[in-house]
């Protein structure tokens, strides 16, 4: 069973936006055992859309179309799909009510006819309600093949895929059972891990595949199997995991299927009834932002001080001026003082601090670009480590954020 | 003149990586007046590669192929292109010397025959030397059409495009002049803007196109024109902008070509010699993170207090307990107190605060999900506004962040 993705929008072709939808769709379909035959990105052009639909119908069983569903003139996907299906547009009452509700509740400008036209859908289509926006998803079928047209806005598309499209596909088709189990590791590179587990990898049965997924100082090891016999496959994968874990005990974080490292940390802090605060310099709020991207963290996360300027470290975090002068602002001493002081200020069990040089230019410190000190304070002690995360600003910030979580994970899970 | 991009690699189709190369290529070609007809992503599969090459040759004048040039078995792009051109592979001495040099200088493992085979190129191809890797770029021609095969590693591909491919294309073809001008607006939706500027839009000359690019409470209006007469086109676009701006004065931020709103704000604060601090509750560090994603902000950005838990608003930001009890933590009074207090704490000219309910569950407040108060404090005054940003957590956080920048922009640019 194969799928094709068609993404529509001039903004993709002129490079104004990066198409992240396709990677999400690739992953989502991979999980249910459907491979993507082709991803085709085209402009908002009637002839080209019709051609792409025809070719996709020839090649794939499931055709996912994203984009071009906005209310303005340049968005022609809906009309063109309607034409492809020899169909006419009809007003869907539920969508109209939803659009009117969104306008009355969230939007200050009055609703217009253009907005109301979002409720027009091909008469043969099954509507997929879009909780997060005005353009509905549309499900159409032709010669046993499924066409789904979705809005291009990533979070709207993602919700529709996860909540509506995948469940409906599961009802319509019978997919083989696919099992992924992904081991999260940190601190050791891809090829070093490959060397370490070479014997195990070579002895894997042929229907279980291993993929190395390296990213910013972490490597995910994904075991994947496909089978009609669910129980047998699960047992086999568990057996392989049991053989693997003793070889990577020192770098093992957990299983991705149980949640990200932030989730694992949050669950553990909640379980222990412990709290956390942060003092961020070079990470500039990134650690707080990653934590608070998840709901429900206020149980254990009390807050952060982003002391971006050196004077803020002195005035707000009460780091000693003399320490900054003697050791420089990127130093063990300053990192540890930041962690100790912020822990007291927020009255938490743990505190983490970062101070470093993310580049591209040296800031208030002479430390080499990429240098980051990370400190962790508990009620009884404080300790710190120094890293060099290279010379790419975003990467330095993200790697420091990852490393901060790893230090905390080690601390709160230690026996 | 049109180009097609073919990206080859299983990792794209299964969603393991996001294809950022295509957006870079789209931008690069757009700049020289070549529009991208289609982006086609396919697996490392011989038949499919041959089919994609044939279709691209039918549709486009320039075909850019990325990926599948690695040394391992799954990389078959080079052999397949060679087959498509009825050509044979020959060893290129310069590439071989380069590969051997890279190995002796940077790579600890000894060079293998697989690595040496990177020097095999189709005999009809012109080699483009890859400074940053072992796989060379290859330029081939057929019936006046240009095929360029490039490595998929983004920084290798980008260097080859900028240093070799674009200059060579400029020598071979004469390109029209392309001009984009993108108007940044906020606060009014896509269709409301469309209604407002309908008359202007309909009177646009046919060779100037308008696109609406909406995202989280902001809409970008992009005017694009293509012409052989550079001066005339620029004059025409400026004339259209002059007609447009009076109609959208109240929602106009600036031109994207001059930088993002954060950049505009940063430049203005630097120019005025003014400073900024933040007190973030529901945005959880996002505003600080967006600011500090850019280098050099410490000139005007002093820091942020992420007072995520209610007790941190009391203990760290010294918001009155009574106010929180009387008005609730999501209120005008608390937002304004946060802004006033953080401004004093960091001793800045401006301070912004956010307090709200990002959902999905109600937290320390009974305020409806999506409700966010944003306050702005200056040395002389404080004011605030309340918004409802809907029921999607990420969206609420991002819209509140955007709105905070908009309020600041209005404040610092006001006459």
């Amino acid at each position: 069973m194969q799928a094709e993705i068609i993404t529509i929008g001039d903004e993709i072709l002129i490079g104004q936006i990066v198409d992240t939808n396709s990677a999400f769709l690739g992953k989502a379909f991979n999980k249910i055992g459907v491979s993507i035959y082709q991803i085709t990105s085209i402009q908002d052009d009637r002839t080209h859309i019709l051609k792409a639909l025809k070719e996709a119908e020839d090649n794939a069983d499931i055709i996912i179309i994203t984009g071009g569903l906005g209310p303005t003139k340049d968005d022609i996907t809906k009309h063109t799909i309607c034409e492809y299906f020899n169909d006419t547009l009809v007003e869907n009452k539920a969508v109209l009510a939803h659009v009117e509700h969104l306008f009355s509740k969230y939007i200050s400008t009055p609703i217009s006819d253009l907005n109301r036209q979002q409720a027009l859908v091909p008469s043969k289509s099954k509507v997929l309600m879009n909780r997060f926006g005005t353009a509905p998803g549309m499900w159409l079928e032709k010669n046993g093949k499924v066409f789904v047209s979705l809005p291009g806005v990533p979070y709207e598309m993602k919700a529709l895929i996860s909540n509506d499209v995948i469940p409906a596909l599961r009802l319509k088709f019978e997919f083989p059972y696919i099992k992924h189990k992904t081991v999260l590791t940190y601190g050791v590179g891809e090829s070093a891990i490959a060397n370490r587990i070479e014997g195990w990898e070579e002895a894997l049965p042929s229907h279980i595949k291993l993929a190395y997924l390296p990213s910013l100082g972490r490597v995910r090891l994904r075991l994947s199997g496909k089978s009609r016999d669910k129980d047998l496959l699960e047992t086999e994968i568990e057996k392989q995991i049991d053989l693997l874990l003793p070889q990577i005990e020192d770098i093992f974080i957990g299983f991705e299927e149980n949640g990200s490292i932030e989730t694992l940390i949050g669950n553990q802090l909640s379980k222990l009834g412990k709290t956390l605060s942060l003092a961020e310099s070079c990470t500039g709020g990134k650690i707080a932002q990653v934590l608070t991207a998840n709901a429900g963290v206020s149980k254990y996360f009390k807050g952060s001080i982003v002391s971006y300027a050196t004077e803020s470290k002195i005035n707000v975090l009460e780091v000693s001026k003399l320490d900054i002068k003697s050791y420089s602002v990127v130093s063990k001493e300053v990192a540890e003082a930041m962690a100790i002081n912020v822990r007291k200020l927020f009255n938490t069990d743990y505190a983490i601090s970062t101070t470093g040089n993310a580049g591209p230019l040296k800031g208030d410190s002479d430390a080499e670009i990429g240098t980051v000190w990370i400190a962790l304070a508990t009620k009884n002690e404080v300790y710190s480590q120094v890293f060099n995360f290279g010379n790419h600003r975003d990467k330095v910030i993200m790697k420091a954020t990852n490393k901060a979580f790893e230090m905390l994970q080690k601390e709160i899970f230690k026996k």
Side-chain angles (χ1 to χ4, degrees), chain A:
Chain A
M1 177 139 309
Q2 296 204 109
E4 178 155 344
I5 299 167
I6 303 174
T7 65
I8 300 174
D10 296 353
E11 65 278 18
I12 297 171
L13 282 297
I14 67 165
Q16 204 161 56
I17 62 162
V18 170
D19 169 23
T20 56
N21 283 351
S22 293
F24 173 86
L25 289 165
K27 256 190 209 154
F29 279 91
N30 201 247
K31 262 193 198 153
I32 59 167
V34 175
S35 59
I36 305 294
Y37 173 75
Q38 181 167 313
I39 301 163
T40 308
S41 301
I42 59 177
Q43 298 188 25
D44 302 287
D45 175 275
R46 178 185 153 275
T47 320
H48 202 159
I49 295 174
L50 291 173
K51 181 164 167 262
L53 288 171
K54 177 72 186 66
E55 282 170 13
E57 189 185 331
D58 292 343
N59 297 323
D61 311 287
I62 301 164
I63 296 101
I64 305 290
I65 305 128
T66 68
L69 297 183
T72 48
K73 266 185 237 159
D74 54 329
D75 292 307
I76 57 165
T77 300
K78 191 162 68 180
H79 291 89
T80 313
I81 288 177
C82 199
E83 179 181 347
Y84 187 74
F85 278 85
N86 284 317
D87 202 357
T88 49
L89 293 172
V90 294
E91 188 176 273
N92 182 292
K93 296 262 173 288
V95 176
L96 184 61
H98 175 63
V99 172
E100 285 172 343
H101 168 76
L102 287 179
F103 265 80
S104 70
K105 188 152 180 193
Y106 299 117
I107 300 169
S108 55
T109 48
I111 188 166
S112 73
D113 281 347
L114 278 181
N115 302 127
R116 287 206 184 83
Q117 283 168 22
Q118 294 287 64
L120 294 178
V121 296
S123 74
K124 297 172 188 164
S125 70
K126 203 190 126 210
V127 158
L128 311 174
M129 291 299 287
N130 177 1
R131 280 179 61 201
F132 299 123
T134 57
M138 291 165 282
W139 173 295
L140 287 143
E141 295 188 20
K142 194 178 176 187
N143 308 325
K145 305 206 164 184
V146 172
F147 292 71
V148 185
S149 167
L150 298 170
V153 180
Y155 60 85
E156 298 180 15
M157 181 280 296
K158 286 178 187 174
L160 285 164
I161 284 286
S162 306
N163 304 332
D164 300 86
V165 179
I166 299 286
L169 288 172
R170 279 190 193 280
L171 284 179
K172 185 170 173 68
F173 300 108
E174 198 184 320
F175 298 115
Y177 181 68
I178 295 262
K179 172 84 184 172
H180 294 296
K181 189 132 184 176
T182 310
V183 177
L184 306 171
T185 75
Y186 63 92
V188 171
E190 180 183 7
S191 52
I193 297 177
N195 275 337
R196 214 199 260 197
I197 65 175
E198 198 180 0
W200 170 83
E201 186 177 352
E202 279 177 3
L204 278 176
S206 65
H207 64 293
I208 297 181
K209 308 272 180 223
L210 174 70
Y212 292 85
L213 310 170
S215 169
L216 298 170
R218 294 181 184 169
V219 179
R220 286 142 65 222
L221 303 173
R222 192 188 62 217
L223 276 174
S224 311
K226 191 189 278 196
S227 168
R228 299 250 161 226
D229 188 335
K230 182 181 171 203
D231 292 340
L232 181 66
L233 181 64
E234 289 194 337
T235 311
E236 284 177 318
I237 287 188
E238 285 311 316
K239 201 184 106 192
Q240 292 302 332
I241 293 282
D242 288 344
L243 291 169
L244 171 64
L245 288 191
Q247 304 179 43
I248 54 167
E249 220 169 4
D250 54 323
I251 56 171
F252 173 67
I253 299 173
F255 298 104
E256 187 169 71
E257 290 74 14
N258 298 341
S260 64
I261 184 168
E262 296 82 46
T263 315
L264 296 173
I265 288 172
N267 293 344
Q268 179 75 352
L269 287 173
S270 301
K271 206 178 97 187
L272 300 172
K274 304 281 189 190
T275 55
L276 171 70
S277 59
L278 308 168
E280 304 191 56
S281 180
C282 64
T283 48
K286 184 74 191 175
I287 307 178
Q289 185 257 314
V290 169
L291 272 176
T292 60
N294 302 300
V297 302
S298 60
K299 258 179 298 184
Y300 57 87
F301 176 56
K302 293 305 164 198
S304 175
I305 300 221
V306 182
S307 55
Y308 206 66
T310 298
E311 64 194 83
S312 307
K313 293 184 185 69
I314 300 164
N315 300 338
V316 184
L317 273 175
E318 298 183 346
V319 175
S320 118
K321 226 176 188 162
L322 191 67
D323 273 1
I324 291 176
K325 215 175 156 187
S326 317
Y327 304 109
S328 111
V329 75
V330 178
S331 64
K332 181 184 182 67
E333 289 75 10
V334 170
E336 295 190 353
M338 287 169 69
I340 291 169
N341 295 359
V342 85
R343 195 191 71 74
K344 282 189 200 145
L345 205 54
F346 281 95
N347 187 26
T348 57
D349 299 289
Y350 301 103
I352 297 180
S353 71
T354 62
T355 179
N357 235 338
L361 297 170
K362 291 187 177 185
D364 289 342
S365 153
D366 274 341
E368 198 187 346
I369 287 163
T371 307
V372 180
W373 277 95
I374 305 180
L376 200 159
T378 69
K379 286 199 165 159
N380 307 311
E381 57 172 349
V382 63
Y383 56 86
S384 56
Q385 269 186 276
V386 65
F387 305 91
N388 189 309
F389 293 129
N391 60 1
H392 186 285
R393 184 177 179 83
D394 296 351
K395 272 190 188 161
V396 172
I397 293 173
M398 203 56 230
K399 282 188 171 182
T401 300
N402 283 350
K403 192 54 77 180
F405 285 122
E406 290 163 18
M407 284 174 65
L408 182 61
Q409 194 262 359
K410 238 181 196 167
E411 173 66 36
I412 64 174
F413 280 94
K414 77 181 174 194
K415 306 284 149 44

